[in-house]
Amino acid sequence: MAHFSATQLHTLSWTSSVNPNIAYRTPKLLLYPKPLRASFSSSNVETTTLMKDSSTTTLRELCYGHVQEHVILRAEEIGYVIPTKVQLQALPFLFSGRDCVLHAQTGSGKTLAYLLQVLSVVDSQRSAVQALIVVPTRELGMQVTKVARMLAVNPSEHESGLKSCTVMALLDGGMLKRHKSWLKAEPPTIVVATIGSLCQMLEKHILKLDTCQVLVVDEVDFMFNSSKEVSSLKRLLTSYSSSKNRQTIFASASIPQHRRFLYDCMQQKWTRADVVHVHVNSVEPMPSCLHHRFVVCNRTEKNPMLLSLLQTDSPESAIIFVSEQSEKSKKAGSAPPTTLLVDFLKSSCGRFSDVSLLEEDMNFNQRAASLSELRGGGGYLLVATDIAARGVDLPETTHIYNFDIPKDAVNYLHRAGRTGRKPFSDKKCFVTSIITVEERFVLQRFENELMFCCEQLFF
Ligand SMILES: Nc1ncnc2c1ncn2[C@@H]1O[C@H](COP(=O)(O)OP(=O)(O)OP(=O)(O)O)[C@@H](O)[C@H]1O
């Protein structure tokens, strides 16, 4: 491990003449505002940077001179006073205009990090789309839009004569006709979009990105992995706008083969060549407050096993993840496994009679209603497919149950990450997988890959 003092090295950049299969990166010294110090290993791509006196730095201090006072005040009102690790590490790079890959645990506050940068760049007095945030699902889009609007609102708009930023949610399942008129009449400052709706607007030239200064792609690994979205995403990154003319920010808690990904970012010109990889807690990909457990039972015993777990744990709020219905089962006209489980829980008396459901096959209004019901306060029990596994922020969730085992380690990480979402709390949260004997080795593989230990429960 090579350590560099603040005067020797301030940050690390990537050169494009590198080979992805070997130690391909070459550190390059860059000038950077003083208080940063960096340490990195010369044999891998991880970069960690810490502010001096990081424990006492406030979000206000970090944002000072970059973000408008009313935005900082709103952040403080919401409760964002102390920056999380990823905010502390990423914001100086973001404010300097560098392209960044934000790679940090679930629930670590990546959204606020990129939104503060977006709000520091845009000019609310200009009627033009200046920032674009691309998300994989409507649910995540609605969540990001809500936080962006909360931060952007300027309470002294009338006295100061300064308009608040406008934020448009251009999401699949929305009213594209209304959005068209809005975009034509008075373009919003910030657009939060799913790729499908976005591309429709771009193809028809209703939305143009020539004034866009920041492009954020949230859950970037998911987007690049989705056969449905990847070609549109690549077009967005290279044809509809150029990395030379914008700041590009990618975010996710999981970036498999991140060295290869960073190499591709530069080679394919998805980002500029000096993209920074902000990798927080690289040896601990999941929050440390998570307690992982498993129970073994036969497939036919899963329902009563779940019920026993719920009765023993008595969770304040829980999400139960169930696999999507297979095409074969759909064709056979069978009821979806989610519905069957909801019916079982509802009929099993007690406090589990009030169960919510979130799955792909529900219409958009039902899905929105389901989530806003949960956010209304009080405890909840949600049965969901993996549509709820990415980005959805329900901070009151204390327990996750994998009724069906996730399909891979990345999927395990994102499901588990729906709990433990209070950055400054170390309250224990629980992730419990209900598995068959044959699935034990699969879970073991996840444990090795994600570096965690699972405790076996016996009933
Ligand atoms: N500085 C902060 N102080 C207090 N709470 C914060 C701070 N930053 C973010 N949070 C809260 O932490 C929670 C998680 O934040 P966020 O949704 O941005 O996580 P994330 O890193 O995007 O997670 P995921 O990878 O799962 O999408 C949210 O409830 C958010 O309000």
Side-chain angles (χ1 to χ4, degrees):
M1 171 79 87
H3 291 281
F4 294 79
S5 73
T7 46
Q8 280 176 302
L9 175 73
H10 295 115
T11 185
L12 187 69
S13 77
W14 319 104
T15 58
S16 49
S17 55
V18 289
N19 176 345
N21 302 315
I22 50 170
Y24 57 81
R25 100 204 136 113
T26 315
K28 196 164 73 175
L29 292 183
L30 288 173
L31 288 179
Y32 198 75
K34 261 187 192 156
L36 282 173
R37 109 183 117 72
S39 72
F40 65 89
S41 149
S42 55
S43 61
N44 63 35
V45 288
E46 278 95 79
T47 312
T48 43
T49 57
L50 285 170
M51 295 292 288
K52 267 190 187 159
D53 300 317
S54 56
S55 57
T56 55
T57 307
T58 62
L59 199 64
R60 169 173 286 277
E61 284 166 343
L62 204 57
C63 294
Y64 188 75
H66 298 284
V67 181
Q68 286 182 27
E69 176 62 17
H70 72 85
V71 176
I72 301 177
L73 276 172
R74 281 297 292 145
E76 288 173 339
E77 275 167 24
I78 297 168
Y80 304 146
V81 178
I82 306 295
T84 62
K85 277 189 195 163
V86 67
Q87 291 156 11
L88 197 61
Q89 292 190 20
L91 282 170
F93 287 116
L94 292 171
F95 290 151
S96 75
R98 296 274 296 273
D99 289 352
C100 279
V101 175
L102 308 182
H103 187 181
Q105 290 176 345
T106 51
S108 58
K110 296 182 286 295
T111 314
L112 183 64
Y114 68 66
L115 282 180
L116 285 171
Q117 169 55 4
V118 163
L119 290 166
S120 84
V121 164
V122 298
D123 174 2
S124 57
Q125 305 317 297
R126 223 177 130 206
S127 194
V129 176
Q130 296 159 62
L132 172 63
I133 301 168
V134 182
V135 291
T137 61
R138 181 180 172 80
E139 282 66 29
L140 183 54
M142 283 161 59
Q143 192 178 290
V144 172
T145 305
K146 191 173 160 199
V147 183
R149 283 183 180 152
M150 278 196 307
L151 290 169
V153 68
N154 183 359
S156 56
E157 187 172 357
H158 295 300
E159 297 126 60
S160 63
L162 293 175
K163 282 195 300 180
S164 296
C165 274
T166 43
V167 185
M168 171 190 277
L170 184 59
L171 306 169
D172 295 346
M175 313 262 263
L176 288 188
K177 242 187 187 167
R178 219 171 57 193
H179 288 108
K180 268 185 208 167
S181 332
W182 182 359
L183 281 164
K184 277 184 183 159
E186 198 180 7
T189 330
I190 302 168
V191 173
V192 179
T194 44
I195 199 93
S197 300
L198 177 69
C199 283
Q200 277 190 45
M201 292 296 187
L202 289 168
E203 273 151 25
K204 291 180 184 154
H205 305 286
I206 294 161
L207 171 61
K208 291 199 184 92
L209 296 180
D210 39 7
T211 50
C212 180
Q213 298 176 60
V214 191
L215 169 61
V216 181
V217 181
D218 205 347
E219 305 295 341
V220 67
D221 59 316
F222 181 85
M223 307 276 276
F224 270 107
N225 253 330
S226 155
S227 50
K228 234 171 54 188
E229 326 227 296
V230 68
S231 59
S232 308
L233 181 61
K234 285 181 181 169
R235 255 182 298 140
L236 172 68
L237 291 169
T238 51
S239 314
Y240 288 119
S241 72
S242 157
S243 61
K244 275 191 265 169
N245 305 329
R246 59 165 198 250
Q247 181 182 26
T248 310
I249 306 170
F250 292 144
S252 183
S254 56
I255 304 186
Q257 299 180 20
H258 61 251
R259 292 169 201 188
R260 176 78 225 187
F261 178 69
L262 283 159
Y263 176 81
D264 286 344
C265 282
M266 297 178 299
Q267 287 297 303
Q268 308 289 328
K269 300 204 174 359
W270 300 331
T271 65
R272 291 176 289 215
D274 64 348
V275 58
V276 183
H277 180 213
V278 179
H279 198 180
V280 183
N281 281 341
S282 53
V283 290
E284 195 179 20
M286 287 188 285
S288 53
C289 62
L290 302 191
H291 184 66
H292 303 265
R293 316 177 303 179
F294 70 95
V295 284
V296 178
C297 67
N298 291 331
R299 223 166 270 285
T300 51
E301 291 167 348
K302 276 187 167 189
N303 282 6
M305 182 56 84
L306 175 65
L307 199 58
S308 304
L309 280 165
L310 290 171
Q311 276 156 350
T312 314
D313 293 344
S314 194
E316 282 165 41
S317 293
I319 305 178
I320 303 161
F321 281 102
V322 179
S323 298
E324 259 172 61
Q325 187 176 21
S326 66
E327 285 308 314
K328 195 174 156 199
S329 152
K330 273 186 195 169
K331 274 187 194 146
S334 314
T338 41
T339 314
L340 292 175
L341 187 61
V342 170
D343 291 346
F344 167 75
L345 290 169
K346 282 187 172 170
S347 63
S348 316
C349 71
R351 55 181 290 240
F352 310 121
S353 54
D354 196 11
V355 188
S356 307
L357 176 64
L358 188 67
E359 62 178 338
E360 286 78 0
D361 289 344
M362 289 161 69
N363 72 38
F364 288 116
N365 290 339
Q366 287 172 321
R367 276 158 52 171
S370 201
L371 273 177
S372 65
E373 216 173 83
L374 305 184
R375 292 198 169 107
Y380 49 81
L381 197 56
L382 171 68
V383 171
T385 57
D386 284 316
I387 191 172
R390 283 276 181 163
V392 170
D393 186 42
L394 293 166
E396 300 312 319
T397 307
T398 52
H399 289 68
I400 298 293
Y401 296 96
N402 287 320
F403 185 77
D404 292 316
I405 194 159
K407 61 179 184 298
D408 54 30
V410 167
N411 199 210
Y412 184 98
L413 177 147
H414 285 278
R415 283 186 183 184
R418 293 318 100 205
T419 186
R421 297 185 67 81
K422 295 191 175 175
F424 300 104
S425 159
D426 40 22
K427 185 178 166 189
K428 255 208 161 107
C429 295
F430 296 85
V431 183
T432 312
S433 302
I434 303 174
I435 57 170
T436 59
V437 184
E438 300 78 48
E439 285 167 337
R440 177 65 189 115
F441 88 97
V442 181
L443 188 61
Q444 187 79 61
R445 228 179 41 220
F446 299 167
E447 289 179 61
N448 295 340
E449 223 171 294
L450 299 170
M451 293 173 280
F452 70 97
C453 267
C454 238
E455 180 201 356
Q456 181 164 11
L457 300 179
F458 297 93
F459 277 87

